[in-house]
Amino acid sequence: MRHYSLTAPAKINLHLEILGDRADGYHELVMVLQGIALEDRIDIYAGSTQDIHLHCEDPDMPLGSDNIAYQAAQLMCREYPEAYAQYGGLEINIEKNIPVAAGLAGGSADAAAVLVGINLLWKLGLTQPELQTLASQLGSDIAFCLEGGTALALGRGEQLNALEGLEDLAVILAKHQNLYVSTAWAYKTYRQQFEQTYFQQPENIAAQTKQVHSADLVSAIAQQDYPKIGQFLYNNLEKVVFPAHPQVEALKLVFQKESEVLGTIMSGSGPTVFALCRSQAVAEQVIKSVQSKLNDSTVNFWLTKLSTHGIQVH
Ligand code: C5P
């Protein structure tokens, strides 16, 4: 049976800044997004019926229309009814390595892989910009997941400007096992608490986009200045997630005390905290030290590295 195997990398936010409200109910953002080498594997087969079936061994994964990867398949069936009629339904298997609801865009990465896989399976010949447009209809960071690497993301997060690629720094991810944060909750709570700081006029938002804190980070990236990259990491959503879940802030504080850590913040809407280190060997030592200081068996650690690519076909 014809099928495609794809890998879908997770992302971290090196910068996440909320500028204001948007007419569509989302937030106007400035982000620096960075792909990492922790990847899900997605296998897509033509089905024997017209149905879409999602399979995954991870019990945390919803398998129906509340899964964004399923929604990606539904979108393709709606957009390309002739190909859907010709090739039939879809069997999609997801091997989950990226933790779920962790601020690492695991669901978005799977959805991006489904778009690429169906494009190949149905021989649609869609270009990257066409895939980007489909991705933006589904979610704010799916367009980035297609491309990966390092990018400045504006608007809802779907307007991408590629930045200079970074060396493969080591990335430590740390997350409390049974702690999940809803992205919608994080943004809603931020709006409730900080709406008075929002820029109200679109022209102010445009001006602010040029001056935001990301400027320091973007120039550090251009200069490949890794200590500065670590120093300028920034995430507005820490302001709502830390008070609600103090253990996440505690994790960041422990990483901050490690002299070999270049920088550490929460990724996206959390609760994953990441720390950047020069090498895998240094990162292994940092993990050991942090584990012994925390002495908390409910915190999981992953050691990975920055990556320069998005969805790959194998
Ligand atoms: O677009 P996505 O489904 O990833 O977003 C999840 C939730 O995060 C949205 O429902 C919205 O509440 C919030 N969000 C936002 N502004 C953005 C991106 C996401 O308010 N730019």
Side-chain angles (χ1 to χ4, degrees):
M1 195 194 313
R2 217 158 61 86
H3 104 278
Y4 286 92
S5 271
L6 306 104
T7 44
K11 67 96 181 109
I12 51 176
N13 296 72
L14 303 181
H15 182 94
L16 191 164
E17 188 169 1
I18 299 170
L19 297 186
D21 271 323
R22 292 165 54 97
D24 60 10
Y26 281 73
H27 285 87
E28 195 72 29
L29 305 176
V30 177
M31 298 191 287
V32 176
L33 301 173
Q34 171 65 57
I36 56 174
L38 180 66
E39 300 179 330
D40 287 347
R41 184 189 149 126
I42 288 87
D43 287 276
I44 301 192
Y45 304 79
S48 49
T49 67
Q50 291 300 114
D51 297 335
I52 302 167
H53 289 128
L54 208 57
H55 310 272
C56 182
E57 284 183 6
D58 186 332
D60 288 339
M61 278 274 284
L63 298 177
S65 59
D66 44 353
N67 187 310
I68 189 83
Y70 189 97
Q71 290 165 24
Q74 284 181 314
L75 175 69
M76 294 300 268
C77 295
R78 274 201 309 277
E79 292 283 321
Y80 303 99
E82 285 170 16
Y84 174 40
Q86 181 184 346
Y87 290 101
L90 298 152
E91 299 287 332
I92 302 170
N93 190 59
I94 301 180
E95 188 186 300
K96 204 75 202 144
N97 300 308
I98 306 170
V100 175
L104 299 171
S108 297
D110 298 345
V114 167
L115 296 180
V116 174
I118 295 176
N119 183 33
L120 294 169
L121 197 66
W122 291 355
K123 301 186 191 316
L124 295 170
L126 299 175
T127 61
Q128 205 64 6
E130 286 168 327
L131 287 169
Q132 296 274 358
T133 304
L134 290 164
S136 306
Q137 289 176 41
L138 280 169
S140 307
D141 48 16
I142 302 177
F144 172 78
C145 291
L146 287 169
E147 304 293 331
T150 312
L152 180 68
L154 305 176
R156 270 168 65 207
E158 85 294 5
Q159 295 169 27
L160 301 175
N161 304 268
L163 297 175
E164 190 82 12
L166 296 173
E167 278 171 29
D168 56 353
L169 294 182
V171 183
I172 303 168
L173 306 172
K175 179 188 169 290
H176 290 85
Q177 244 162 47
N178 296 318
L179 183 60
Y180 306 94
V181 175
S182 144
T183 305
W185 170 85
Y187 279 101
K188 192 176 97 200
T189 309
Y190 192 90
R191 179 182 283 125
Q192 281 163 0
Q193 294 182 13
F194 299 103
E195 197 161 23
Q196 73 283 1
T197 67
Y198 285 10
F199 291 88
Q200 297 303 336
Q201 306 301 329
E203 55 273 25
N204 289 353
I205 287 183
Q208 183 64 8
T209 301
K210 298 199 183 92
Q211 291 171 23
V212 284
H213 305 286
S214 66
D216 289 331
L217 178 66
V218 170
S219 70
I221 290 172
Q223 291 158 17
Q224 307 275 297
D225 184 334
Y226 293 99
K228 278 212 174 125
I229 290 171
Q231 185 188 332
F232 292 132
L233 299 175
Y234 184 87
N235 185 348
N236 265 162
L237 290 176
E238 289 181 343
K239 286 197 211 167
V240 290
V241 177
F242 284 179
H245 306 289
Q247 68 273 44
V248 181
E249 183 171 21
L251 207 49
K252 175 175 165 174
L253 293 175
V254 177
F255 276 120
Q256 263 173 346
K257 292 205 182 90
E258 296 292 320
S259 58
E260 298 291 339
V261 166
L262 294 167
T264 175
I265 54 166
M266 185 181 81
S267 183
S269 54
T272 304
V273 171
F274 71 86
L276 301 180
C277 298
R278 278 278 178 194
S279 72
Q280 299 282 307
V282 165
E284 277 167 24
Q285 290 308 317
V286 169
I287 292 176
K288 274 193 198 135
S289 167
V290 167
Q291 272 174 328
S292 75
K293 284 175 192 157
L294 276 176
N295 195 22
D296 180 350
S297 61
T298 69
V299 178
N300 287 336
F301 291 85
W302 293 259
L303 176 50
T304 180
K305 58 184 180 176
L306 302 188
S307 95
T308 52
H309 57 77
I311 304 301
Q312 286 194 316
V313 184
H314 296 273

